[in-house]
Amino acid sequence: MIENDIATKIIGCAIDVHKNLGAGLLESAYQECLYYKLKKEGLRVEKEKPMPIIYENVKLECGYRIDLLVENKVVIELKSVDSLNDVHMAQTLTYMKLGNYKLGLLINFNVILLKQGIKRIINGTL
């Protein structure tokens, strides 16, 4: 399955989770529900995937973790904040670069209409 097809499924699942839960909950609640929904849809999902940093040819475990990684291709960074900002985008892009992933979805569940809280981030060409 290619990244765009995976992203379409992810967005559909995220919209379903948001419709059921609404805005205003903690990020961890959305993460657990989206993780469950994606698994139920038959997708391979890793939760809190460790993301080490390679510095001067040394692998360093710094505590960075991808919220969800789907099919080992699409990074999902979840937020429940008033608004997304450049730091959130940079964080997602950094995870994508560290893992050499091409597509990321930054999803803010703290919005009235989830469509307004989804940012698609591309690293390289898709």
Side-chain angles (χ1 to χ4, degrees):
M1 189 179 298
I2 63 170
E3 287 89 344
N4 287 329
D5 294 337
I6 297 167
T8 298
K9 283 190 167 199
I10 293 167
I11 291 168
C13 290
I15 288 170
D16 188 58
V17 168
H18 189 264
K19 281 182 182 175
N20 282 289
L21 298 179
L25 299 177
L26 294 175
E27 178 185 310
S28 58
Y30 298 112
Q31 182 181 24
E32 288 300 320
C33 292
L34 184 56
Y35 175 76
Y36 166 79
K37 183 72 175 170
L38 293 169
K39 296 281 279 184
K40 187 176 172 186
E41 290 294 315
L43 294 168
R44 207 169 11 109
V45 186
E46 292 179 72
K47 181 173 41 169
E48 296 290 329
K49 180 174 174 52
M51 189 54 44
I53 293 176
I54 307 297
Y55 180 73
E56 293 185 353
N57 295 320
V58 176
K59 182 177 175 181
L60 303 170
E61 299 294 336
C62 297
Y64 292 112
R65 297 185 182 280
I66 295 174
D67 288 339
L68 298 171
L69 180 64
V70 182
E71 295 290 324
N72 203 36
K73 291 183 177 181
V74 180
V75 171
I76 304 175
E77 182 62 28
L78 301 173
K79 300 294 178 194
S80 184
V81 294
D82 288 335
S83 63
L84 294 174
N85 61 44
D86 292 342
V87 172
H88 299 131
M89 297 283 284
Q91 177 186 18
T92 307
L93 190 56
T94 297
Y95 289 155
M96 292 167 60
K97 286 179 181 176
L98 288 173
N100 199 29
Y101 303 112
K102 294 179 183 173
L103 181 62
L105 294 172
L106 175 57
I107 304 174
N108 181 19
F109 279 91
N110 198 31
V111 291
I112 300 300
L113 184 63
L114 190 64
K115 181 178 165 182
Q116 298 168 341
I118 299 173
K119 302 289 181 200
R120 191 172 190 269
I121 304 166
I122 299 171
N123 179 23
T125 57
L126 255 186

PDB file of all heavy atoms in Angstrom, residues 46 48-66 69 91 93-101:
ATOM      1  N   GLU A  46       2.399   1.059  14.934  1.00  0.00           N
ATOM      2  CA  GLU A  46       3.280   1.072  16.101  1.00  0.00           C
ATOM      3  C   GLU A  46       2.967   2.333  16.903  1.00  0.00           C
ATOM      4  O   GLU A  46       2.860   3.409  16.331  1.00  0.00           O
ATOM      5  CB  GLU A  46       4.743   1.096  15.681  1.00  0.00           C
ATOM      6  CG  GLU A  46       5.210  -0.166  15.004  1.00  0.00           C
ATOM      7  CD  GLU A  46       6.662  -0.065  14.590  1.00  0.00           C
ATOM      8  OE1 GLU A  46       7.543  -0.103  15.485  1.00  0.00           O
ATOM      9  OE2 GLU A  46       6.897   0.088  13.377  1.00  0.00           O
ATOM     10  N   GLU A  48       4.062   4.975  19.990  1.00  0.00           N
ATOM     11  CA  GLU A  48       5.212   5.474  20.764  1.00  0.00           C
ATOM     12  C   GLU A  48       6.518   4.846  20.281  1.00  0.00           C
ATOM     13  O   GLU A  48       7.339   4.396  21.078  1.00  0.00           O
ATOM     14  CB  GLU A  48       5.006   5.215  22.256  1.00  0.00           C
ATOM     15  CG  GLU A  48       3.825   5.950  22.856  1.00  0.00           C
ATOM     16  CD  GLU A  48       4.041   7.450  22.951  1.00  0.00           C
ATOM     17  OE1 GLU A  48       5.187   7.888  23.129  1.00  0.00           O
ATOM     18  OE2 GLU A  48       3.046   8.173  22.834  1.00  0.00           O
ATOM     19  N   LYS A  49       6.713   4.823  18.975  1.00  0.00           N
ATOM     20  CA  LYS A  49       7.916   4.222  18.393  1.00  0.00           C
ATOM     21  C   LYS A  49       9.144   5.056  18.745  1.00  0.00           C
ATOM     22  O   LYS A  49       9.214   6.240  18.422  1.00  0.00           O
ATOM     23  CB  LYS A  49       7.777   4.119  16.878  1.00  0.00           C
ATOM     24  CG  LYS A  49       9.012   3.507  16.219  1.00  0.00           C
ATOM     25  CD  LYS A  49       8.822   3.275  14.752  1.00  0.00           C
ATOM     26  CE  LYS A  49      10.060   2.816  14.049  1.00  0.00           C
ATOM     27  NZ  LYS A  49      10.744   1.682  14.606  1.00  0.00           N
ATOM     28  N   PRO A  50      10.139   4.444  19.400  1.00  0.00           N
ATOM     29  CA  PRO A  50      11.360   5.171  19.749  1.00  0.00           C
ATOM     30  C   PRO A  50      12.072   5.680  18.497  1.00  0.00           C
ATOM     31  O   PRO A  50      12.127   4.995  17.483  1.00  0.00           O
ATOM     32  CB  PRO A  50      12.215   4.122  20.461  1.00  0.00           C
ATOM     33  CG  PRO A  50      11.264   3.059  20.879  1.00  0.00           C
ATOM     34  CD  PRO A  50      10.165   3.065  19.866  1.00  0.00           C
ATOM     35  N   MET A  51      12.601   6.885  18.585  1.00  0.00           N
ATOM     36  CA  MET A  51      13.294   7.504  17.459  1.00  0.00           C
ATOM     37  C   MET A  51      14.649   8.007  17.952  1.00  0.00           C
ATOM     38  O   MET A  51      14.763   9.102  18.499  1.00  0.00           O
ATOM     39  CB  MET A  51      12.443   8.656  16.923  1.00  0.00           C
ATOM     40  CG  MET A  51      12.910   9.254  15.631  1.00  0.00           C
ATOM     41  SD  MET A  51      13.163   8.146  14.238  1.00  0.00           S
ATOM     42  CE  MET A  51      11.772   7.083  14.255  1.00  0.00           C
ATOM     43  N   PRO A  52      15.686   7.178  17.791  1.00  0.00           N
ATOM     44  CA  PRO A  52      17.016   7.590  18.239  1.00  0.00           C
ATOM     45  C   PRO A  52      17.614   8.654  17.315  1.00  0.00           C
ATOM     46  O   PRO A  52      17.179   8.832  16.185  1.00  0.00           O
ATOM     47  CB  PRO A  52      17.830   6.300  18.173  1.00  0.00           C
ATOM     48  CG  PRO A  52      17.155   5.501  17.110  1.00  0.00           C
ATOM     49  CD  PRO A  52      15.693   5.861  17.177  1.00  0.00           C
ATOM     50  N   ILE A  53      18.606   9.327  17.818  1.00  0.00           N
ATOM     51  CA  ILE A  53      19.358  10.307  17.037  1.00  0.00           C
ATOM     52  C   ILE A  53      20.748   9.737  16.795  1.00  0.00           C
ATOM     53  O   ILE A  53      21.354   9.173  17.709  1.00  0.00           O
ATOM     54  CB  ILE A  53      19.446  11.651  17.795  1.00  0.00           C
ATOM     55  CG1 ILE A  53      18.072  12.290  17.896  1.00  0.00           C
ATOM     56  CG2 ILE A  53      20.433  12.590  17.124  1.00  0.00           C
ATOM     57  CD1 ILE A  53      18.060  13.562  18.706  1.00  0.00           C
ATOM     58  N   ILE A  54      21.235   9.869  15.573  1.00  0.00           N
ATOM     59  CA  ILE A  54      22.606   9.472  15.258  1.00  0.00           C
ATOM     60  C   ILE A  54      23.449  10.750  15.260  1.00  0.00           C
ATOM     61  O   ILE A  54      23.204  11.678  14.500  1.00  0.00           O
ATOM     62  CB  ILE A  54      22.705   8.786  13.873  1.00  0.00           C
ATOM     63  CG1 ILE A  54      21.709   7.635  13.761  1.00  0.00           C
ATOM     64  CG2 ILE A  54      24.139   8.346  13.602  1.00  0.00           C
ATOM     65  CD1 ILE A  54      21.928   6.508  14.735  1.00  0.00           C
ATOM     66  N   TYR A  55      24.411  10.795  16.172  1.00  0.00           N
ATOM     67  CA  TYR A  55      25.284  11.959  16.292  1.00  0.00           C
ATOM     68  C   TYR A  55      26.725  11.473  16.285  1.00  0.00           C
ATOM     69  O   TYR A  55      27.096  10.640  17.119  1.00  0.00           O
ATOM     70  CB  TYR A  55      24.968  12.726  17.577  1.00  0.00           C
ATOM     71  CG  TYR A  55      25.825  13.943  17.770  1.00  0.00           C
ATOM     72  CD1 TYR A  55      25.635  15.082  17.001  1.00  0.00           C
ATOM     73  CD2 TYR A  55      26.845  13.951  18.716  1.00  0.00           C
ATOM     74  CE1 TYR A  55      26.428  16.199  17.167  1.00  0.00           C
ATOM     75  CE2 TYR A  55      27.649  15.065  18.895  1.00  0.00           C
ATOM     76  CZ  TYR A  55      27.430  16.179  18.113  1.00  0.00           C
ATOM     77  OH  TYR A  55      28.221  17.291  18.273  1.00  0.00           O
ATOM     78  N   GLU A  56      27.511  11.962  15.351  1.00  0.00           N
ATOM     79  CA  GLU A  56      28.902  11.548  15.190  1.00  0.00           C
ATOM     80  C   GLU A  56      29.024  10.020  15.160  1.00  0.00           C
ATOM     81  O   GLU A  56      29.821   9.425  15.878  1.00  0.00           O
ATOM     82  CB  GLU A  56      29.780  12.158  16.283  1.00  0.00           C
ATOM     83  CG  GLU A  56      29.895  13.667  16.176  1.00  0.00           C
ATOM     84  CD  GLU A  56      30.857  14.278  17.181  1.00  0.00           C
ATOM     85  OE1 GLU A  56      31.366  13.550  18.072  1.00  0.00           O
ATOM     86  OE2 GLU A  56      31.097  15.488  17.069  1.00  0.00           O
ATOM     87  N   ASN A  57      28.149   9.403  14.359  1.00  0.00           N
ATOM     88  CA  ASN A  57      28.118   7.950  14.166  1.00  0.00           C
ATOM     89  C   ASN A  57      27.784   7.159  15.431  1.00  0.00           C
ATOM     90  O   ASN A  57      28.074   5.971  15.514  1.00  0.00           O
ATOM     91  CB  ASN A  57      29.433   7.436  13.558  1.00  0.00           C
ATOM     92  CG  ASN A  57      29.656   7.963  12.167  1.00  0.00           C
ATOM     93  OD1 ASN A  57      28.706   8.042  11.377  1.00  0.00           O
ATOM     94  ND2 ASN A  57      30.881   8.338  11.849  1.00  0.00           N
ATOM     95  N   VAL A  58      27.181   7.820  16.414  1.00  0.00           N
ATOM     96  CA  VAL A  58      26.766   7.149  17.638  1.00  0.00           C
ATOM     97  C   VAL A  58      25.250   7.251  17.749  1.00  0.00           C
ATOM     98  O   VAL A  58      24.676   8.342  17.612  1.00  0.00           O
ATOM     99  CB  VAL A  58      27.427   7.784  18.887  1.00  0.00           C
ATOM    100  CG1 VAL A  58      26.916   7.133  20.159  1.00  0.00           C
ATOM    101  CG2 VAL A  58      28.942   7.687  18.790  1.00  0.00           C
ATOM    102  N   LYS A  59      24.612   6.111  17.987  1.00  0.00           N
ATOM    103  CA  LYS A  59      23.163   6.079  18.152  1.00  0.00           C
ATOM    104  C   LYS A  59      22.817   6.461  19.592  1.00  0.00           C
ATOM    105  O   LYS A  59      23.242   5.794  20.540  1.00  0.00           O
ATOM    106  CB  LYS A  59      22.642   4.675  17.831  1.00  0.00           C
ATOM    107  CG  LYS A  59      21.152   4.530  17.917  1.00  0.00           C
ATOM    108  CD  LYS A  59      20.771   3.110  17.511  1.00  0.00           C
ATOM    109  CE  LYS A  59      19.312   2.866  17.686  1.00  0.00           C
ATOM    110  NZ  LYS A  59      18.963   1.482  17.322  1.00  0.00           N
ATOM    111  N   LEU A  60      22.077   7.550  19.743  1.00  0.00           N
ATOM    112  CA  LEU A  60      21.721   8.052  21.072  1.00  0.00           C
ATOM    113  C   LEU A  60      20.216   7.943  21.293  1.00  0.00           C
ATOM    114  O   LEU A  60      19.428   8.444  20.495  1.00  0.00           O
ATOM    115  CB  LEU A  60      22.151   9.518  21.200  1.00  0.00           C
ATOM    116  CG  LEU A  60      23.631   9.807  20.950  1.00  0.00           C
ATOM    117  CD1 LEU A  60      23.870  11.305  20.866  1.00  0.00           C
ATOM    118  CD2 LEU A  60      24.466   9.184  22.044  1.00  0.00           C
ATOM    119  N   GLU A  61      19.849   7.293  22.371  1.00  0.00           N
ATOM    120  CA  GLU A  61      18.431   7.199  22.747  1.00  0.00           C
ATOM    121  C   GLU A  61      18.101   8.421  23.592  1.00  0.00           C
ATOM    122  O   GLU A  61      18.522   8.529  24.731  1.00  0.00           O
ATOM    123  CB  GLU A  61      18.161   5.919  23.538  1.00  0.00           C
ATOM    124  CG  GLU A  61      18.456   4.637  22.785  1.00  0.00           C
ATOM    125  CD  GLU A  61      17.554   4.397  21.585  1.00  0.00           C
ATOM    126  OE1 GLU A  61      16.432   4.934  21.536  1.00  0.00           O
ATOM    127  OE2 GLU A  61      17.990   3.661  20.684  1.00  0.00           O
ATOM    128  N   CYS A  62      17.362   9.356  23.002  1.00  0.00           N
ATOM    129  CA  CYS A  62      17.082  10.628  23.670  1.00  0.00           C
ATOM    130  C   CYS A  62      15.641  10.743  24.166  1.00  0.00           C
ATOM    131  O   CYS A  62      15.236  11.797  24.636  1.00  0.00           O
ATOM    132  CB  CYS A  62      17.379  11.790  22.719  1.00  0.00           C
ATOM    133  SG  CYS A  62      19.107  11.886  22.240  1.00  0.00           S
ATOM    134  N   GLY A  63      14.876   9.699  24.027  1.00  0.00           N
ATOM    135  CA  GLY A  63      13.505   9.755  24.509  1.00  0.00           C
ATOM    136  C   GLY A  63      12.504  10.263  23.495  1.00  0.00           C
ATOM    137  O   GLY A  63      11.335  10.430  23.819  1.00  0.00           O
ATOM    138  N   TYR A  64      12.920  10.510  22.259  1.00  0.00           N
ATOM    139  CA  TYR A  64      11.974  10.939  21.234  1.00  0.00           C
ATOM    140  C   TYR A  64      11.151   9.746  20.775  1.00  0.00           C
ATOM    141  O   TYR A  64      11.674   8.648  20.614  1.00  0.00           O
ATOM    142  CB  TYR A  64      12.704  11.554  20.032  1.00  0.00           C
ATOM    143  CG  TYR A  64      13.367  12.860  20.356  1.00  0.00           C
ATOM    144  CD1 TYR A  64      14.746  12.960  20.375  1.00  0.00           C
ATOM    145  CD2 TYR A  64      12.608  13.983  20.659  1.00  0.00           C
ATOM    146  CE1 TYR A  64      15.368  14.152  20.694  1.00  0.00           C
ATOM    147  CE2 TYR A  64      13.223  15.180  20.977  1.00  0.00           C
ATOM    148  CZ  TYR A  64      14.595  15.263  20.991  1.00  0.00           C
ATOM    149  OH  TYR A  64      15.208  16.444  21.304  1.00  0.00           O
ATOM    150  N   ARG A  65       9.856   9.979  20.585  1.00  0.00           N
ATOM    151  CA  ARG A  65       8.964   8.899  20.177  1.00  0.00           C
ATOM    152  C   ARG A  65       7.932   9.420  19.187  1.00  0.00           C
ATOM    153  O   ARG A  65       7.324  10.471  19.403  1.00  0.00           O
ATOM    154  CB  ARG A  65       8.223   8.312  21.382  1.00  0.00           C
ATOM    155  CG  ARG A  65       9.165   7.681  22.388  1.00  0.00           C
ATOM    156  CD  ARG A  65       8.402   7.001  23.508  1.00  0.00           C
ATOM    157  NE  ARG A  65       9.308   6.439  24.491  1.00  0.00           N
ATOM    158  CZ  ARG A  65       9.943   5.283  24.336  1.00  0.00           C
ATOM    159  NH1 ARG A  65       9.776   4.578  23.255  1.00  0.00           N
ATOM    160  NH2 ARG A  65      10.747   4.842  25.278  1.00  0.00           N
ATOM    161  N   ILE A  66       7.729   8.645  18.119  1.00  0.00           N
ATOM    162  CA  ILE A  66       6.668   8.954  17.158  1.00  0.00           C
ATOM    163  C   ILE A  66       5.358   8.494  17.782  1.00  0.00           C
ATOM    164  O   ILE A  66       5.265   7.361  18.267  1.00  0.00           O
ATOM    165  CB  ILE A  66       6.918   8.211  15.826  1.00  0.00           C
ATOM    166  CG1 ILE A  66       8.194   8.702  15.162  1.00  0.00           C
ATOM    167  CG2 ILE A  66       5.716   8.366  14.894  1.00  0.00           C
ATOM    168  CD1 ILE A  66       8.588   7.911  13.928  1.00  0.00           C
ATOM    169  N   LEU A  69       3.082   5.184  14.037  1.00  0.00           N
ATOM    170  CA  LEU A  69       3.694   4.926  12.743  1.00  0.00           C
ATOM    171  C   LEU A  69       2.860   3.842  12.071  1.00  0.00           C
ATOM    172  O   LEU A  69       2.681   2.755  12.625  1.00  0.00           O
ATOM    173  CB  LEU A  69       5.146   4.464  12.893  1.00  0.00           C
ATOM    174  CG  LEU A  69       5.883   4.165  11.598  1.00  0.00           C
ATOM    175  CD1 LEU A  69       6.019   5.427  10.738  1.00  0.00           C
ATOM    176  CD2 LEU A  69       7.255   3.557  11.881  1.00  0.00           C
ATOM    177  N   GLN A  91       8.661  19.453  14.473  1.00  0.00           N
ATOM    178  CA  GLN A  91       8.777  18.201  15.222  1.00  0.00           C
ATOM    179  C   GLN A  91       8.413  17.012  14.328  1.00  0.00           C
ATOM    180  O   GLN A  91       9.145  16.027  14.263  1.00  0.00           O
ATOM    181  CB  GLN A  91       7.855  18.246  16.443  1.00  0.00           C
ATOM    182  CG  GLN A  91       7.853  16.973  17.252  1.00  0.00           C
ATOM    183  CD  GLN A  91       6.823  17.006  18.375  1.00  0.00           C
ATOM    184  OE1 GLN A  91       5.888  17.810  18.368  1.00  0.00           O
ATOM    185  NE2 GLN A  91       6.974  16.130  19.325  1.00  0.00           N
ATOM    186  N   LEU A  93       8.342  16.886  11.018  1.00  0.00           N
ATOM    187  CA  LEU A  93       9.320  16.775   9.934  1.00  0.00           C
ATOM    188  C   LEU A  93      10.633  16.168  10.438  1.00  0.00           C
ATOM    189  O   LEU A  93      11.262  15.366   9.749  1.00  0.00           O
ATOM    190  CB  LEU A  93       9.559  18.133   9.288  1.00  0.00           C
ATOM    191  CG  LEU A  93      10.375  18.127   7.999  1.00  0.00           C
ATOM    192  CD1 LEU A  93       9.766  17.216   6.944  1.00  0.00           C
ATOM    193  CD2 LEU A  93      10.504  19.540   7.448  1.00  0.00           C
ATOM    194  N   THR A  94      11.035  16.508  11.643  1.00  0.00           N
ATOM    195  CA  THR A  94      12.255  15.939  12.225  1.00  0.00           C
ATOM    196  C   THR A  94      12.115  14.426  12.383  1.00  0.00           C
ATOM    197  O   THR A  94      13.024  13.673  12.035  1.00  0.00           O
ATOM    198  CB  THR A  94      12.582  16.589  13.582  1.00  0.00           C
ATOM    199  OG1 THR A  94      12.847  17.975  13.359  1.00  0.00           O
ATOM    200  CG2 THR A  94      13.778  15.938  14.246  1.00  0.00           C
ATOM    201  N   TYR A  95      10.982  13.959  12.909  1.00  0.00           N
ATOM    202  CA  TYR A  95      10.760  12.520  13.042  1.00  0.00           C
ATOM    203  C   TYR A  95      10.811  11.844  11.675  1.00  0.00           C
ATOM    204  O   TYR A  95      11.378  10.764  11.520  1.00  0.00           O
ATOM    205  CB  TYR A  95       9.412  12.228  13.694  1.00  0.00           C
ATOM    206  CG  TYR A  95       9.335  12.574  15.154  1.00  0.00           C
ATOM    207  CD1 TYR A  95       8.115  12.867  15.741  1.00  0.00           C
ATOM    208  CD2 TYR A  95      10.466  12.599  15.962  1.00  0.00           C
ATOM    209  CE1 TYR A  95       8.022  13.175  17.084  1.00  0.00           C
ATOM    210  CE2 TYR A  95      10.377  12.917  17.308  1.00  0.00           C
ATOM    211  CZ  TYR A  95       9.152  13.194  17.863  1.00  0.00           C
ATOM    212  OH  TYR A  95       9.069  13.495  19.190  1.00  0.00           O
ATOM    213  N   MET A  96      10.233  12.499  10.683  1.00  0.00           N
ATOM    214  CA  MET A  96      10.232  11.941   9.339  1.00  0.00           C
ATOM    215  C   MET A  96      11.655  11.829   8.785  1.00  0.00           C
ATOM    216  O   MET A  96      12.015  10.815   8.196  1.00  0.00           O
ATOM    217  CB  MET A  96       9.360  12.793   8.425  1.00  0.00           C
ATOM    218  CG  MET A  96       7.877  12.727   8.777  1.00  0.00           C
ATOM    219  SD  MET A  96       6.913  13.995   7.946  1.00  0.00           S
ATOM    220  CE  MET A  96       7.221  13.598   6.236  1.00  0.00           C
ATOM    221  N   LYS A  97      12.443  12.857   9.009  1.00  0.00           N
ATOM    222  CA  LYS A  97      13.827  12.846   8.521  1.00  0.00           C
ATOM    223  C   LYS A  97      14.662  11.802   9.256  1.00  0.00           C
ATOM    224  O   LYS A  97      15.436  11.080   8.636  1.00  0.00           O
ATOM    225  CB  LYS A  97      14.456  14.230   8.681  1.00  0.00           C
ATOM    226  CG  LYS A  97      13.946  15.234   7.672  1.00  0.00           C
ATOM    227  CD  LYS A  97      14.573  16.596   7.887  1.00  0.00           C
ATOM    228  CE  LYS A  97      14.049  17.613   6.898  1.00  0.00           C
ATOM    229  NZ  LYS A  97      14.581  18.957   7.151  1.00  0.00           N
ATOM    230  N   LEU A  98      14.508  11.713  10.582  1.00  0.00           N
ATOM    231  CA  LEU A  98      15.280  10.742  11.365  1.00  0.00           C
ATOM    232  C   LEU A  98      14.979   9.310  10.933  1.00  0.00           C
ATOM    233  O   LEU A  98      15.866   8.462  10.926  1.00  0.00           O
ATOM    234  CB  LEU A  98      14.982  10.907  12.859  1.00  0.00           C
ATOM    235  CG  LEU A  98      15.564  12.145  13.534  1.00  0.00           C
ATOM    236  CD1 LEU A  98      15.038  12.267  14.951  1.00  0.00           C
ATOM    237  CD2 LEU A  98      17.079  12.112  13.520  1.00  0.00           C
ATOM    238  N   GLY A  99      13.727   9.037  10.576  1.00  0.00           N
ATOM    239  CA  GLY A  99      13.342   7.689  10.179  1.00  0.00           C
ATOM    240  C   GLY A  99      13.298   7.474   8.681  1.00  0.00           C
ATOM    241  O   GLY A  99      12.948   6.392   8.225  1.00  0.00           O
ATOM    242  N   ASN A 100      13.611   8.516   7.923  1.00  0.00           N
ATOM    243  CA  ASN A 100      13.573   8.463   6.461  1.00  0.00           C
ATOM    244  C   ASN A 100      12.174   8.100   5.945  1.00  0.00           C
ATOM    245  O   ASN A 100      12.024   7.262   5.052  1.00  0.00           O
ATOM    246  CB  ASN A 100      14.631   7.501   5.913  1.00  0.00           C
ATOM    247  CG  ASN A 100      14.920   7.752   4.455  1.00  0.00           C
ATOM    248  OD1 ASN A 100      14.797   8.864   3.968  1.00  0.00           O
ATOM    249  ND2 ASN A 100      15.297   6.711   3.748  1.00  0.00           N
ATOM    250  N   TYR A 101      11.156   8.727   6.528  1.00  0.00           N
ATOM    251  CA  TYR A 101       9.773   8.527   6.092  1.00  0.00           C
ATOM    252  C   TYR A 101       9.380   9.672   5.171  1.00  0.00           C
ATOM    253  O   TYR A 101       9.792  10.810   5.368  1.00  0.00           O
ATOM    254  CB  TYR A 101       8.819   8.477   7.286  1.00  0.00           C
ATOM    255  CG  TYR A 101       9.188   7.409   8.283  1.00  0.00           C
ATOM    256  CD1 TYR A 101       9.653   7.741   9.549  1.00  0.00           C
ATOM    257  CD2 TYR A 101       9.084   6.060   7.952  1.00  0.00           C
ATOM    258  CE1 TYR A 101      10.001   6.758  10.466  1.00  0.00           C
ATOM    259  CE2 TYR A 101       9.437   5.070   8.865  1.00  0.00           C
ATOM    260  CZ  TYR A 101       9.884   5.430  10.114  1.00  0.00           C
ATOM    261  OH  TYR A 101      10.241   4.458  11.014  1.00  0.00           O
TER     262      TYR A 101
END
